[in-house]
Amino acid sequence: MGLKLNDDFLWGGAIAAHQAEGAWNVGGKGVSIADILTAGAHGKPREITDGVIEGLNYPNHHGIYFYDTYKADLALMAEMGFKAFRTSIAWTRIFPNGDDATPNEEGLQFYDDMFDEMNRLGIEPVITLNHFEMPYHLVTEYGGWSDRRLIDLFVKYAETVFTRYKDKVTYWMTHNEISNQANLTDETMGEFMIWTNSGLKFPEGTPAEEKLAAMVQAGHYELVASAKAVQIGHAINPDFVIGGMLNVAPLYPASSKPADMLAVQKARQARDWFSDVHVRGEYPAEFEAFAKRTGMRPDITEEDREALRAGTVDYLAISYYNSFVIKATSDDDAEFDNLHGYEIVPNPEVQVSDWGWAIDPQGLRYTLNELNDLYPGLPIMIVENGFGAYDEVVDGKVHDQYRIDYLKAHVAEVEKAVVMDGIPVIGYLSWGPIDIVSAGTGEMSKRYGYIYVDLDDMGEGSGERLRKDSFDWYKQVIASHGVDL
Ligand code: P53
């Protein structure tokens, strides 16, 4: 038995345009930074190619053909009782190059139709402006978010879609998982994260300090762009609810050694400045001190600071998948900063998915409490959570009890956070309610869906949709307001 949530709780699911739509060069769409990512696998990073190279496998080119199938797919979401559905607008459908003088009408019309369809079905659209899919042209011509001009180009895009959809969409978020790039030195995922957040790719052998400085600068421009978009959005429609979006993961100390605990705190601070700026409109003291001490003082103007203060977010959108354990690698805490002094180690207390992601439902309740401690009373929407797993179809059925187990345990913790801890969580959108292309690996076989899609890692298959066992489970959870887990 779960704890009952209010009628207005936003139950639903979330995807991103580049992982689902396909039609990468249809309807006037330009090439995005996702369109030049090849397929990888667990432990094998996706390759970032110089443009589209013939003969390579680019899974985002086809996605799950959602561009053509969204009506039938949304009907299945409605069948589960979805109250909300999150997707992104593909920036390159609106401004194919990012710096075009006028928007692409065919792209605007596509989302008009999609949002109409959601509203017709009684499903609240929750829309991400920038989900790892900026125009590739902005990378080749501007150097991605290392260029201050990206602020105005993003704001123009935001203003265009805010204006166009002001009567169709209420819930927005700016940059997906903006703080992922803080992990830019991670061996397998670091390159992916700074690419997808900022469109930055470093030549081999670039010193970590140099990468970090570039990330800090790009992150600042993204935060200013977000803050300006928030202000403009509110001017266009005061009812807009506009959020910042972060991946959150609890960090646990490897032991009760004080150095481990301090290392946890430093590792947190290396990421938390993004949410502090989103929510409070100011850089935290330790970021300022870090930038000064390391000489990484980025280009931050007084006008930027003013924009940050004036453009704080209405809510936090979060993704939650896993937790990590931090171990100090030095006893000299003077060495603890974004690049030094600690490492991530396995957690012997939890199990992991086939992709090595720690399964930690209690960590979700912990994280929600931690966020509410940091930003008391700020509404939180869980806009991603889920279990990437291999599925097997037997006689047209997928018995995905492992996925139900994962989701059930996580939803139960969300309900405790709301009912027992009083945290203002306003929605739970599970990731990939229909199977889509994995962002991290490009695989189709890393599946999150309640709905199975018959496509493999090479993009082969009928594309047929099947309801998995988890489909009925989620339907019953929503219908019972979370009681019938
Ligand atoms: P996949 C890690 C790695 C890549 C993307 O991930 C990530 C994360 C989690 O922080 O972020 C989100 O598909 C992202 C989605 C993505 C989802 O996690 O690699 O916002 O686009 O699909 C799940 O299993």
Side-chain angles (χ1 to χ4, degrees):
M1 275 270 281
L3 302 167
K4 187 169 187 290
L5 299 186
N6 289 341
D7 290 357
D8 58 359
F9 190 79
L10 294 171
W11 294 99
I15 62 168
H18 75 282
Q19 293 170 258
E21 287 178 7
W24 71 289
N25 57 2
V26 173
K29 182 180 169 298
V31 179
S32 82
I33 57 169
D35 292 325
I36 60 159
L37 287 174
T38 65
H42 178 36
K44 177 177 177 271
R46 304 180 72 176
E47 199 189 328
I48 304 165
T49 58
D50 290 330
V52 174
I53 297 170
E54 207 163 327
L56 296 184
N57 180 13
Y58 296 103
N60 301 90
H61 289 192
H62 52 76
I64 57 162
Y65 304 97
F66 190 70
Y67 187 76
D68 302 304
T69 62
Y70 73 83
K71 284 192 179 158
D73 292 336
L74 287 172
L76 289 166
M77 310 299 167
E79 192 182 318
M80 278 185 276
F82 276 29
K83 312 274 188 241
F85 184 74
R86 170 186 179 223
T87 188
S88 58
I89 294 174
W91 187 345
T92 50
R93 290 201 190 283
I94 312 303
F95 290 101
N97 297 297
D99 60 358
D100 315 73
T102 53
N104 170 36
E105 176 54 31
E106 201 174 339
L108 286 167
Q109 188 61 50
F110 172 69
Y111 292 107
D112 260 319
D113 295 346
M114 188 192 290
F115 301 154
D116 283 346
E117 186 64 12
M118 289 187 206
N119 286 318
R120 193 182 71 76
L121 293 165
I123 297 177
E124 185 84 46
V126 177
I127 302 304
T128 315
L129 293 174
N130 178 24
H131 195 131
F132 303 166
E133 50 205 357
M134 65 188 284
Y136 182 50
H137 177 80
L138 296 183
V139 172
T140 54
E141 298 305 310
Y142 296 75
W145 282 96
S146 67
D147 191 314
R148 179 176 272 283
R149 287 174 297 173
L150 271 271
I151 297 173
D152 287 345
L153 294 171
F154 176 81
V155 170
K156 182 175 172 181
Y157 156 62
E159 185 172 10
T160 302
V161 296
F162 283 155
T163 306
R164 178 79 171 213
Y165 308 121
K166 69 177 176 1
D167 299 321
K168 301 185 181 184
V169 176
T170 301
Y171 291 93
W172 301 89
M173 66 198 80
T174 54
H175 309 290
N176 185 64
E177 292 187 341
I178 187 170
S179 52
N180 279 10
Q181 54 196 330
N183 294 355
L184 82 174
T185 54
D186 180 90
E187 251 169 65
T188 43
M189 291 308 288
E191 193 187 35
F192 171 87
M193 290 185 167
I194 186 76
W195 175 253
T196 48
N197 280 145
S198 292
L200 297 181
K201 189 181 170 185
F202 302 104
E204 224 167 90
T206 305
E209 284 75 10
E210 206 177 297
K211 292 188 198 176
L212 181 61
M215 184 277 282
V216 163
Q217 186 62 67
H220 171 68
Y221 293 148
E222 288 152 20
L223 288 164
V224 173
S226 172
K228 289 189 168 182
V230 168
Q231 289 180 68
I232 288 175
H234 287 149
I236 291 169
N237 184 346
D239 293 335
F240 275 176
V241 182
I242 311 173
M245 198 290 189
L246 307 146
N247 173 257
V248 290
L251 303 179
Y252 304 132
S255 77
S256 51
K257 235 171 93 175
D260 281 342
M261 199 61 205
L262 189 66
V264 163
Q265 195 168 49
K266 286 286 143 193
R268 279 244 71 87
Q269 290 171 351
R271 297 177 68 98
D272 279 0
W273 53 275
F274 285 98
S275 51
D276 278 359
V277 175
H278 267 323
V279 177
R280 299 186 177 133
E282 279 179 14
Y283 283 98
E286 71 276 354
F287 174 89
E288 302 278 12
F290 166 77
K292 199 167 163 195
R293 171 165 58 83
T294 56
M296 286 180 196
R297 165 69 50 195
D299 167 31
I300 298 179
T301 65
E302 264 319 302
E303 197 217 329
D304 291 349
R305 291 189 189 274
E306 185 43 47
L308 295 177
R309 278 191 291 269
T312 54
V313 297
D314 301 317
Y315 75 104
L316 268 188
I318 62 162
S319 60
Y320 178 87
Y321 292 94
N322 50 4
S323 57
F324 297 95
V325 174
I326 301 283
K327 185 179 179 347
T329 51
S330 162
D331 283 325
D332 178 4
D333 59 22
E335 288 185 13
F336 290 6
D337 65 21
N338 302 47
L339 298 177
H340 312 101
Y342 53 81
E343 60 185 2
I344 293 174
V345 296
N347 186 347
E349 304 294 337
V350 303
Q351 302 209 298
V352 297
S353 78
D354 286 333
W355 279 263
W357 292 20
I359 301 170
D360 179 6
Q362 279 182 324
L364 177 51
R365 181 175 176 193
Y366 172 83
T367 286
L368 291 169
N369 275 272
E370 194 176 55
L371 284 173
N372 195 56
D373 287 347
L374 275 172
Y375 313 119
L378 185 72
I380 299 169
M381 196 188 313
I382 299 163
V383 299
E384 293 186 27
N385 173 238
F387 191 55
Y390 295 106
D391 286 333
E392 206 189 343
V393 184
V394 181
D395 297 331
K397 303 256 183 239
V398 179
H399 300 302
D400 56 343
Q401 189 56 43
Y402 38 89
R403 184 170 292 108
I404 296 173
D405 291 344
Y406 177 102
L407 292 165
K408 186 186 289 195
H410 284 74
V411 169
E413 296 301 320
V414 175
E415 293 175 352
K416 287 182 212 163
V418 174
V419 177
M420 302 174 73
D421 305 330
I423 317 266
V425 181
I426 60 173
Y428 176 84
L429 311 181
S430 67
W431 182 248
I434 182 166
D435 295 342
I436 51 178
V437 171
S438 155
T441 68
E443 294 164 293
M444 217 23 242
S445 52
K446 189 181 185 189
R447 298 172 182 276
Y448 288 84
Y450 306 114
I451 301 160
Y452 184 88
V453 175
D454 179 29
L455 287 172
D456 66 18
D457 289 340
M458 296 307 293
E460 317 260 329
S462 68
E464 193 194 346
R465 273 66 167 153
L466 295 173
R467 295 167 185 78
K468 305 181 196 176
D469 286 357
S470 55
F471 184 100
D472 295 320
W473 172 80
Y474 198 43
K475 186 176 172 178
Q476 127 211 328
V477 171
I478 298 175
S480 66
H481 304 281
V483 175
D484 208 349
L485 291 180

